[in-house]
Amino acid sequence: ADSTINSMEVFDNTLFLGLDNGELLSFKGSTVSVENSEYLDNRSINLLETDGNILYIFFENTTDILIMYKNEDDNYIFETITTEN
């Protein structure tokens, strides 16, 4: 299904796109992949930011932040951080 791109960020030499439908897409030259299929809950991604080591994924209407980083095996790992206002 079509969705609006709300945010873009380069992380790990890859362009990541945060979509209105909650998907996080990666673009690696000629391939587009859904990276967060296990974490989809239909919340809109508002913002993507990185500090170089971690990609921070901010969602609409929640204080939860999904973080993504690479482990020692070169695989992307996701963790949810719950913050309070």
Side-chain angles (χ1 to χ4, degrees), residues 50-83:
T50 186
D51 64 4
N53 297 311
I54 297 171
L55 181 67
Y56 299 89
I57 305 158
F58 298 89
F59 295 93
E60 182 178 302
N61 298 327
T62 184
T63 58
D64 290 349
I65 301 168
L66 186 63
I67 64 169
M68 184 185 82
Y69 59 92
K70 271 198 166 174
N71 67 7
E72 59 276 355
D73 295 325
D74 227 24
N75 297 314
Y76 289 130
I77 303 298
F78 288 92
E79 291 181 18
T80 301
I81 298 174
T82 300
T83 62

Side-chain angles (χ1 to χ4, degrees), residues 2-58:
D2 291 339
S3 186
T4 302
I5 298 170
N6 290 337
S7 187
M8 293 187 282
E9 182 71 61
V10 175
F11 172 71
D12 190 40
N13 295 316
T14 302
L15 177 64
F16 287 89
L17 310 169
L19 303 185
D20 196 49
N21 67 2
E23 289 183 337
L24 177 68
L25 302 182
S26 64
F27 178 68
K28 299 175 185 175
S30 61
T31 305
V32 175
S33 303
V34 177
E35 296 292 343
N36 66 330
S37 58
E38 296 176 16
Y39 294 90
L40 285 175
D41 61 3
N42 295 323
R43 290 181 297 170
S44 176
I45 295 177
N46 280 351
L47 180 64
L48 300 175
E49 290 192 358
T50 186
D51 64 4
N53 297 311
I54 297 171
L55 181 67
Y56 299 89
I57 305 158
F58 298 89

